[in-house]
Amino acid sequence: MAGKQLTKFRQSFPYPSRVGNWFPSHMKTNLFKLEAQLPNVDCLIEVHDARLPFSGRNPMFQERLGIRPNILVLNKADLTRMTDRRKARLYFRLENEGYEDIIFTNFRSAYKPSAQLLMKTLRETLSISERFHRSDKTEYGVLVMGVPNVGKSSLINALRSTFVRERKGRCQRVGTQPGVTRSIETGALISAEPRILAIDTPGVLHTKDLDPEMSYRLTACGIIADRALGEIAVADYLLYNLNKSEVFEYVQLFNLTEPTDNVVTLLDHIAFQRGLVRLVQDKKSKGWGRTGALDFAAAHMLAEFRSGALGRIIFDVF
């Protein structure tokens, strides 16, 4: 824990009564395309962000695609503060929802242990699952799905790199913003023995149940694009949660003397520290001066958080 804690932080966050709808048109179309892929697959891998294991998970995956064996992958686990007690509560709740295979992974860096764990679980699942009309197929098919920007493409690339020696064809595109994968890809070989093909899919977000608080959680983790709520508002929400969770790495990273509860003060400090300034002209004197570009500073703060530099946190309460 870095920095000296203030005696009191905000106890609540001023959520707006409603938020805008960020739901690119291709998402609805791709949900139907996911269903059309079911005859070609033997197993589903649902990927989600471990920092919010419940918020934003698309219930339509279970409702409309749950006729196949599935594995729930909670990725970016290295960015969480997951104690054994909290993990036990998480497993209990997810198992009550019908999930049997739940694993935590990190495909951002040092991914081989996660790739080996997932492949072991996948091979075991496939070996005991009924193949129905696919019993005559020599290869297995796996559909990798989830909401945007949770690491689906990175997962496939990690499996290919770990288990396939001769990798023909391009790797899956990855990015830090949601919506990099826009269409369902052809199968990528992720295992030679047994032969397993993984189909990468675009992120599909279910917006029907998104209240303002959940929208802020998803945006802070990069699942919803920052522009939907505004970088400054999301940075303020992040600051509120960091202070509430007593995660004060931002104090040292941004060279503060103590934690702060004022996002404008923090962003102005970051702006001048990192050279994120704008030239402005005084209307009366006509002189020029510098002012902090708070929106750029907020984007910088969010990028630092998503990289892990601002500490580990879990947004969901369970």
Side-chain angles (χ1 to χ4, degrees):
M1 182 185 300
K4 178 182 177 182
Q5 183 177 351
L6 293 176
T7 57
K8 188 176 182 180
F9 293 111
R10 287 174 287 178
Q11 299 302 304
S12 62
F13 186 79
Y15 299 104
S17 58
R18 58 176 298 177
V19 296
N21 181 21
W22 184 81
F23 192 67
S25 58
H26 69 272
M27 285 190 182
K28 185 175 182 179
T29 301
N30 282 322
L31 182 60
F32 293 104
K33 291 182 178 179
L34 289 180
E35 290 185 272
Q37 287 291 333
L38 285 178
N40 304 319
V41 299
D42 303 281
C43 181
L44 309 176
I45 297 178
E46 180 185 348
V47 189
H48 202 65
D49 194 312
R51 292 169 294 182
L52 22 77
F54 300 103
S55 292
R57 289 218 338 267
N58 196 326
M60 300 179 77
F61 290 152
Q62 279 287 78
E63 294 169 5
R64 297 165 69 170
L65 306 176
I67 61 175
R68 290 285 187 273
N70 60 78
I71 300 170
L72 177 60
V73 174
L74 295 175
N75 195 30
K76 305 182 183 181
D78 56 310
L79 300 179
T80 70
R81 303 171 76 184
M82 187 69 71
T83 63
D84 290 340
R85 185 175 180 180
R86 178 176 275 180
K87 186 176 289 188
R89 292 200 302 267
L90 174 63
Y91 279 128
F92 179 77
R93 180 170 166 181
L94 288 172
E95 287 170 356
N96 284 338
E97 292 182 10
Y99 290 93
E100 297 181 1
D101 294 312
I102 308 158
I103 62 174
F104 289 85
T105 61
N106 165 27
F107 289 112
R108 298 185 324 116
S109 60
Y111 57 79
K112 283 196 174 182
S114 293
Q116 291 166 348
L117 174 61
L118 176 55
M119 184 59 73
K120 178 177 182 293
T121 305
L122 177 59
R123 287 172 174 169
E124 290 175 351
T125 299
L126 292 173
S127 68
I128 63 175
S129 299
E130 176 64 57
R131 300 197 72 187
F132 301 105
H133 66 282
R134 288 182 50 80
S135 58
D136 61 329
K137 301 295 183 182
T138 57
E139 80 280 348
Y140 291 95
V142 176
L143 194 67
V144 182
M145 61 190 190
V147 298
N149 204 24
V150 289
K152 300 181 294 297
S153 299
S154 296
L155 177 153
I156 292 176
N157 289 339
L159 293 175
R160 280 168 52 83
S161 178
T162 305
F163 295 100
V164 181
R165 291 186 178 180
E166 296 182 7
R167 297 185 292 276
K168 296 182 180 180
R170 62 183 178 85
C171 293
Q172 308 303 310
R173 292 178 57 209
V174 299
T176 58
Q177 293 297 318
V180 171
T181 303
R182 298 297 297 271
S183 60
I184 294 177
E185 304 286 342
T186 56
L189 184 66
I190 59 173
S191 171
E193 186 58 42
R195 186 175 174 85
I196 304 174
L197 300 177
I199 301 173
D200 195 8
T201 65
V204 178
L205 188 63
H206 184 61
T207 61
K208 183 178 180 180
D209 300 321
L210 289 188
D211 56 36
E213 182 175 2
M214 189 182 296
S215 296
Y216 273 87
R217 289 179 183 177
L218 297 175
T219 308
C221 292
I223 293 173
I224 294 178
D226 295 336
R227 64 180 180 274
L229 300 175
E231 289 86 351
I232 296 175
V234 180
D236 190 25
Y237 173 76
L238 174 59
L239 178 63
Y240 161 72
N241 277 277
L242 292 174
N243 289 336
K244 183 176 70 171
S245 303
E246 298 185 353
V247 178
F248 299 117
E249 277 83 345
Y250 72 88
V251 176
Q252 181 175 356
L253 182 66
F254 298 131
N255 296 319
L256 301 172
T257 57
E258 62 180 2
T260 178
D261 212 20
N262 188 311
V263 73
V264 174
T265 300
L266 174 60
L267 295 180
D268 191 62
H269 175 86
I270 295 173
F272 279 93
Q273 181 191 68
R274 303 298 168 94
L276 304 172
V277 296
R278 292 188 177 98
L279 290 176
V280 294
Q281 187 178 33
D282 185 270
K283 293 182 179 180
K284 293 183 178 180
S285 67
K286 303 301 182 182
W288 290 88
R290 298 193 306 164
T291 184
L294 301 190
D295 51 345
F296 287 175
H300 179 79
M301 178 181 175
L302 293 172
E304 293 282 21
F305 168 69
R306 292 163 187 163
S307 74
L310 296 189
R312 300 181 297 166
I313 191 173
I314 295 178
F315 288 101
D316 282 350
V317 178
F318 53 89

